[in-house]
Amino acid sequence: MGRRKAAALAGVAAAALLVSACSAGTGVPGAVGGGAAQDSAATSADTVFRVAFNQPENHPQFIAMEAMGERLAERTGGRYGIEVYPNETLGAQRETIELVQSGTLDMSMVASPLLENFNPDFVAFNLPFTFDSQDHQREVTNDPAIVSELYSSLDDQNIRVLASFHGGVRSMYNPRGPITTPADLAGMKVRVIESDTNIAMIGLMGGSGTPMGMGEVYTALQSGVIDAAENNELTYFNSKHSEVAPFYSYTRHLMLPDYLITNPALLAGMSEEDRAIFTEEVRAAVEEEGQLWKTEIATVTQSAKDAGAQFNEVDTAAFAAAIRPLVEQKLTSDVARRIHEQARAAATAG
């Protein structure tokens, strides 16, 4: 089969035509840019899975996925590898989901609220204060007894969730000054992930939710198109948002999973042995990413402070009270309620 060479993004349409002739997982030629800086076992494999990613190369998810690619190449004798394309090189997350569905792209790391657009039951993990800790989130969102049905529910839409990764704890940041209560958000346009749940959440917190791809946020904050954004400390610093929005307020309102998704046909195209290896390495990547998060948060927070960013605590009770109605509003199905209850029960048991 040979190594798959990257082609220009203009070739995506042509690549889509090839999908019908090639099973998913064959590393169909697609977009250019990003990925590994030099040849490696992972990027020289017979089949190189291309993974879309919207964060920089120093992000824990990028590091964990690249390491996974090397292990996968070694364990499969060079049959399979992985190349990760950072910084939205292959498009914003919503666009990459469509590329995965068509088979043009092998995998993508996407924020969990985006999957609500395909099955509203995914809201169960996207609500405020669902998880008490990073470990609690990782265990619940990767527990087959809780998530197997949910993660395979999109198979008929050509989407399969392979695993849930930690996406940090989200708080507010803006260029104007510290936010301490919901009243401080009044009249502010706040960038959110493209989902109705997140828009509703910001509305309850006092602001106006403005959906936007990650790649647009820096300029939008700088120009005043938006007044604030919400994300974790790692994204805040690594995406340089701290340069244009130096006030970071610890609302800690959300702990969203990030999902590694693929087309079910990719898994079907692998041998049973290789599929087992692939699954094991995905799980290993989840664990590695979790450890990387724990060491990186303190480092980037200090770096942001050294560069002039200011961090402040907020009236957590006021924010929690403001957004509490969202839980009842959004848990509209028996499946979503059950999953959310299982998540909270796991926290109590822990």
Side-chain angles (χ1 to χ4, degrees):
M1 191 180 303
R3 184 190 173 196
R4 307 296 180 183
K5 300 294 185 180
L9 263 176
V12 167
L17 297 176
L18 293 175
V19 174
S20 61
C22 304
S23 64
T26 55
V28 176
V32 72
Q38 56 186 6
D39 286 352
S40 66
T43 59
S44 301
D46 292 339
T47 296
V48 179
F49 294 138
R50 293 175 304 112
V51 183
F53 188 55
N54 76 334
Q55 302 287 340
E57 294 91 333
N58 57 353
H59 193 283
Q61 291 172 3
F62 182 92
I63 295 169
M65 288 298 297
E66 281 221 317
M68 173 189 162
E70 295 299 321
R71 295 192 304 268
L72 183 65
E74 180 180 352
R75 293 188 63 190
T76 61
R79 289 188 295 278
Y80 293 101
I82 286 173
E83 186 162 10
V84 188
Y85 292 77
N87 300 311
E88 286 192 338
T89 307
L90 303 184
Q93 290 184 350
R94 182 184 290 275
E95 298 164 358
T96 66
I97 293 174
E98 295 173 358
L99 294 175
V100 167
Q101 287 179 290
S102 70
T104 307
L105 178 64
D106 300 305
M107 288 179 270
S108 181
M109 190 76 75
V110 301
S112 55
L114 292 175
L115 295 191
E116 290 180 41
N117 299 312
F118 301 90
N119 178 356
D121 290 336
F122 274 88
V123 75
F125 293 148
N126 300 341
L127 295 168
F129 306 112
T130 297
F131 303 106
D132 289 2
S133 69
Q134 176 183 332
D135 292 338
H136 173 215
Q137 181 195 52
R138 184 184 67 254
E139 291 164 7
V140 167
T141 58
N142 289 291
D143 183 348
I146 297 175
V147 302
S148 288
E149 182 179 344
L150 181 67
Y151 288 2
S152 62
S153 67
L154 306 181
D155 281 7
D156 61 350
Q157 299 181 66
N158 292 327
I159 300 170
R160 169 68 66 87
V161 175
L162 294 169
S164 167
F165 288 73
H166 182 59
V169 184
R170 302 176 81 91
S171 289
M172 291 284 172
Y173 51 90
N174 79 100
R176 300 180 184 177
I179 291 168
T180 57
T181 70
D184 294 328
L185 285 172
M188 295 181 72
K189 299 188 294 293
V190 183
R191 180 267 173 177
V192 294
I193 297 167
E194 299 169 86
S195 86
D196 292 340
T197 299
N198 280 261
I199 294 171
M201 176 190 68
I202 296 300
L204 289 171
M205 293 174 77
S208 175
T210 304
M212 184 179 293
M214 175 57 65
E216 304 173 59
V217 177
Y218 183 99
T219 302
L221 283 166
Q222 189 178 46
S223 64
V225 170
I226 56 174
D227 303 303
E230 48 91 49
N231 220 309
N232 62 76
E233 302 96 321
L234 202 62
T235 297
Y236 172 64
F237 181 73
N238 287 345
S239 297
K240 303 186 185 302
H241 295 173
S242 55
E243 295 178 354
V244 290
F247 298 97
Y248 190 98
S249 304
Y250 280 119
T251 50
R252 299 186 181 93
H253 53 276
L254 271 183
M255 193 183 305
L256 295 174
D258 284 329
Y259 294 129
L260 180 64
I261 64 167
T262 190
N263 190 309
L266 181 146
L267 298 172
M270 303 174 76
S271 70
E272 185 175 347
E273 177 187 4
D274 286 339
R275 189 161 56 245
I277 292 171
F278 177 76
T279 301
E280 289 173 6
E281 291 304 335
V282 169
R283 291 175 185 152
V286 168
E287 295 296 324
E288 180 179 2
E289 184 248 10
Q291 292 304 313
L292 288 168
W293 266 101
K294 292 177 180 179
T295 58
E296 284 297 306
I297 287 296
T299 300
V300 299
T301 299
Q302 187 58 53
S303 296
K305 288 179 178 179
D306 293 343
Q310 299 181 35
F311 292 76
N312 69 278
E313 295 294 336
V314 307
D315 184 346
T316 304
F319 280 101
I323 57 183
R324 192 169 296 125
L326 189 65
V327 175
E328 288 304 316
Q329 290 173 12
K330 290 296 180 176
L331 294 177
T332 56
S333 76
D334 291 339
V335 172
R337 278 192 293 272
R338 173 178 55 79
I339 293 173
H340 191 265
E341 288 169 1
Q342 287 175 310
R344 293 308 307 148
T348 304

